[in-house]
Each structure stands twice: as structure tokens, then as C-alpha cells.
Amino acid sequence: MENASARPSTSVEDYVKVIYDLQERGTGPVTISGMAERLAVSNSSVSGMLRKLNELGLVEHRRYGTVSLTEAGTKVALSVLRRHRLLETYLVAELGYSWDEVHDEAEILEHVVSDKFVDRIARHLGDPVIDPHGDPIPTRDGRLIERETVLLSEAEEGAVGTVVRVNDTDPDLLRYLADIEIGLGTRVRVVELRPFAGSMDLQVYPGGTSIERSQALGLVAAEALWISPKDS
């Protein structure tokens, strides 16, 4: 059983998790500048860490090229994400945290809890497959559920779907979405795209009800939402 002291350093775990997350969310190739923006560090700091990760066999990166995880790097990333997402789920389900509060707490705890502790959380919660934001929780052996999803910002006019995942990196955005009653399970229909205005018009059906309302949504917020046509 792996324990916290036998793992890579906190900084190594943070880097591979960010690389995996950027790959998983499908926002384009992973670059040094993209990682630097996400981690709030300089490009040179990212370059230095990538050299270390390359030596550890966790990433593949050539100078001025894109970044990708090796099989070993993916394994480390999935282990961190399992801890992070199960901790978020536990904080919401058992300790009364709201979905905008758990990310930062889990960022700290994920590096210190043992796998035994996390496995017990999973069993206690009934082995959940998604966290409070709809992010898939890796199994103990690194498997993930796969769902057909599309970013709301990339949906076409007339598209209908159910919100199944929300980017959890911005607490202010999560609070805004909660205020306008858009969350997991909300059914939406794209009425009109307004790209030059940076927004879109939606019909929203809160909580899966048949009662609809109109909602204008900025494309920045729409880029943080995934919908599934199969769940509509």
C-alpha cells in the first residue's frame, strides 16, 4: 500500500496533475505558457521543472514543443486526482462544504493523506464515480468512466443537453453559477450564439424540471461547463 512518504514531492505531483488536467479537458496542446498561467509561476520555473520531470521519466517534452505525460506520469497524475476528487466529495457529502469551497482544501490534503485513508473514504461514500463538480474519480487501478460530452461554449444553436461537469478552478465562477441556478443536472438549450458580444442565450430547466427560463451566459462561463446530450 502506497503511503504519503513514498510518493513524489508535492511540486512533482502538482505539475503532473496540471498537465493531465489540461490534457483531459481538451483545451488544446499543453504548453509551457499554459502551464505557467495555470500554476501562477514563470515560464522559466515551468521549464526547470519539466527538465526534472523528464529525468524522472514522467513527461515527454522537447524544447519549444508541447508537453505530454508518459505512462508513469499518467499513473502518478491519476493517483493524485483520485485523492483530490474523493476528498472534495467527502467534504461536500459529510462536512457540509459547498462546491466552491472544496478545491483549495483538497489541494492541501491530497498530498498528506494515505491511500488507505482515501480508500476508506471511497468505501464509506459507496465508491462514487464523479466528484461534486462532475469530474470523474479514478478507480484504485486508474480507470475512469467515459461520457459523451461537449463544452457548452462549443455547442451549436439548438443543441440540448444536461450539465454533467463544471470546471472547479475558479470559486467565484462556481458561486455565480450557483446564484443563477446552473449546476450538475441542469438541462439547457442553446437558443442563440452571440460570439461578438462574448455571450450566448439559453433556455434553462433548473433541477431537471420542465419549467424553463431564459438565461444569458458569458462565453467565459460557458467554457467551464460540459453538457451531455445523452443525459438530456
Side-chain angles (χ1 to χ4, degrees):
M1 177 72 67
E2 182 186 20
N3 57 54
S5 61
R7 294 183 193 137
S9 68
T10 295
S11 58
V12 166
E13 287 193 333
D14 282 340
Y15 269 79
V16 296
K17 184 179 71 172
V18 164
I19 295 169
Y20 184 90
D21 191 55
L22 291 171
Q23 288 178 336
E24 182 191 25
R25 295 184 190 277
T27 54
V30 180
T31 63
I32 287 177
S33 58
M35 291 178 62
E37 181 179 0
R38 177 70 178 272
L39 291 160
V41 298
S42 67
N43 284 10
S44 60
S45 294
V46 174
S47 295
M49 178 55 80
L50 286 176
R51 285 193 291 272
K52 179 178 180 179
L53 295 176
N54 189 62
E55 291 170 359
L56 292 171
L58 300 178
V59 303
E60 293 180 353
H61 173 249
R62 294 182 178 178
R63 194 174 185 184
Y64 306 120
T66 58
V67 182
S68 61
L69 292 174
T70 62
E71 184 177 345
T74 299
K75 183 178 179 181
V76 172
L78 287 171
S79 177
V80 184
L81 285 172
R82 173 173 168 79
R83 283 177 257 139
H84 181 97
R85 293 172 180 175
L86 278 169
L87 285 164
E88 288 191 334
T89 306
Y90 182 78
L91 291 170
V92 169
E94 301 295 329
L95 300 184
Y97 280 69
S98 60
W99 74 339
D100 58 286
E101 297 176 314
V102 292
H103 180 76
D104 290 343
E105 293 278 18
E107 285 281 292
I108 298 168
L109 294 170
E110 68 191 28
H111 300 296
V112 296
V113 295
S114 69
D115 286 340
K116 180 179 181 180
F117 180 79
V118 170
D119 287 343
R120 289 196 176 186
I121 285 178
R123 286 196 297 272
H124 176 74
L125 296 174
D127 291 314
V129 295
I130 59 171
D131 72 7
H133 312 102
D135 291 325
I137 298 174
T139 61
R140 190 71 174 82
D141 58 358
R143 290 179 290 109
L144 289 166
I145 61 166
E146 295 185 4
R147 294 177 293 181
E148 180 186 344
T149 62
V150 62
L151 273 173
L152 182 56
S153 60
E154 297 176 358
E156 299 178 350
E157 288 186 2
V160 177
T162 299
V163 176
V164 294
R165 191 175 184 185
V166 182
N167 192 327
D168 67 348
T169 55
D170 187 344
D172 289 333
L173 175 59
L174 291 173
R175 285 189 284 272
Y176 168 71
L177 292 171
D179 287 342
I180 62 173
E181 297 182 297
I182 292 181
L184 299 186
T186 302
R187 194 160 62 91
V188 300
R189 181 170 67 86
V190 180
V191 177
E192 185 176 0
L193 301 175
R194 301 178 183 274
F196 294 108
S199 66
M200 59 170 52
D201 293 335
L202 304 174
Q203 287 292 337
V204 178
Y205 306 83
T209 68
S210 59
I211 302 172
E212 68 179 54
R213 63 177 174 82
S214 299
Q215 177 69 54
L217 190 70
L219 292 182
V220 171
E223 288 172 353
L225 296 166
W226 284 260
I227 62 172
S228 171
K230 289 189 175 181
D231 292 311
S232 61

